[in-house]
Amino acid sequence: MQKLAISGGVPVEGDIPLNGAKNSALPILAGSLLCKGETVLENCPRLTDVYAAMRILTHTGCCCAIKEHTVSVCADGVCCSEIPEALMQEMRSSIVFLGALLGRTGSCSVCYPGGCELGPRPIDIHLDALRKMGVRILRRDGRLECTAPCGLKGACVHLRFPSVGATENVILAAVLAKGETIIHNAAREPEICDLAHFLRGCGAFIRGDGESTIRIKGTDELNGCVHRIMPDRIAGITYLTAAAATGGAVRLCGTQNACMENVLPVLEQAGCRIERASDDIYLSAPSRLRAVPRLRTMPHPGFPTDVQPIIMAAMTVAEGVSVFEENIFECRYRHADGLVQMGADICVSGRTAVVSGVKELSGAHVNATDLRSGAALVIAGLAAHGETEVRQIHHIDRGYEEIEKRLSAAGARIRRVAQ
Ligand code: EPZ
């Protein structure tokens, strides 16, 4: 077991290179199952969730390899469409292998996925959509036995909520289905566009990604391609916010700035100066941030739920009162306990959290409870006076590649040590 040891109160200042996006790499890795020949994914982050996805691919019969940040997958030998429970439990994204395996083999046996505990995370929207595409689903011994006896067929699918995972699953099932699939109320996250971009590179016909209606024309065959995974917008905001909360200045390198425009104005409102260049962002922070008005998490292009814990960590030391409203997950304020332990003033009531900024936080021993809560505690530790230990960092390692190296290269005093 490892933990992060942080000596806080030092501004984060310097250049930070951005890694590829976990939430884009995972569905794209699932998509590689659909292709003949070799798929090569560049800029793939080296993260425990990516390794878990590679284990699933290997289990189904794919040959996978990772060299530095390039993952290659050859799916020509796929021979198994059953994913064992232990692999399903490793992460939430294991569920997107359902659509991909159905597309590839016409059947798939899975159980409910694991992943960050953020409240109930049902998969009814995924299953309803797949049923419309001709999939028969039987529940047996805690597993879902899914088959498409007459093959997958295109369908008009209306998602009751623009679920990211369900949109990905339907796209993955639809690219090799017979006929056209139309997804209404699709998720519009940039990672959906990256998946569609990859699949188009393999020969798929997809239009409308990034909008609420996506149209997919099924084709007979896809061929592996070389694709570069998009930069991780949530990790990017995390590093910018680390500078914002510590009165520092950071140049984030290798960004896709448009993807972050739903958050950068919030940092500007808090008093940061931001300069956007073609593929980097420079942020310099005031000595103390200002509180921001009410932030409501919403599906993209709204304010992202994944960023809520991160901005909240910075607002704990801002001047004034900030109000957060979490509308995506029922239980996404678990970071508040750790922040309060460090001296933050946070009052959570249902969907709302009121943060009254304090002059300073003090170091404490805190536990990451999920990926972004872990990132929030790291930011608070960097801003706090004294020593902080963040434990349970396996959560952080699911989504941030060598977070301590990136931050320490920018002057932060943060080390990974044995627990
Ligand atoms: C993706 O999760 C991301 N994960 C999450 O990031 C992110 O928080 C979330 O989208 C929202 O942006 C990955 O991409 C791997 P959803 P996903 O399906 O696909 C409800 C991180 O920190 N819902 O859009 O699981 C659900 O309960 C992670 O990187 C149903 O009711 O999110 C939730 O309230 C955490 N039925 C809401 O929709 C369903 O069938 C959003 O879920 C599916 C979802």
Side-chain angles (χ1 to χ4, degrees), residues 22-23 26 92-93 118 120-126 160-165 189 305-306 328-329 332 371-372:
K22 163 184 84 86
N23 291 347
L26 299 175
R92 172 75 179 178
S93 278
L118 310 172
R121 295 181 80 178
I123 52 170
D124 57 314
I125 302 176
H126 304 233
R160 72 168 166 77
F161 180 88
S163 154
V164 174
E189 270 69 2
T305 173
D306 291 347
I328 307 295
F329 290 108
R332 205 163 197 183
L371 168 57
R372 306 303 169 188

Side-chain angles (χ1 to χ4, degrees), residues 15-59:
D15 291 358
I16 300 188
L18 196 49
N19 56 263
K22 163 184 84 86
N23 291 347
S24 171
L26 299 175
I28 290 176
L29 281 163
S32 69
L33 262 173
L34 298 165
C35 300
K36 291 208 163 121
E38 195 183 37
T39 295
V40 177
L41 302 177
E42 298 171 347
N43 199 33
C44 205
R46 295 186 73 108
L47 298 168
T48 51
D49 274 10
V50 166
Y51 301 140
M54 291 174 70
R55 279 194 290 281
I56 294 177
L57 289 170
T58 305
H59 176 85

Side-chain angles (χ1 to χ4, degrees), residues 14 16 20 42 56 94 110 114 117 129 158 175 290 310 353:
I16 300 188
E42 298 171 347
I56 294 177
S94 54
V110 292
E117 286 175 24
H158 182 97
V175 283
R290 286 193 298 270
I310 290 157

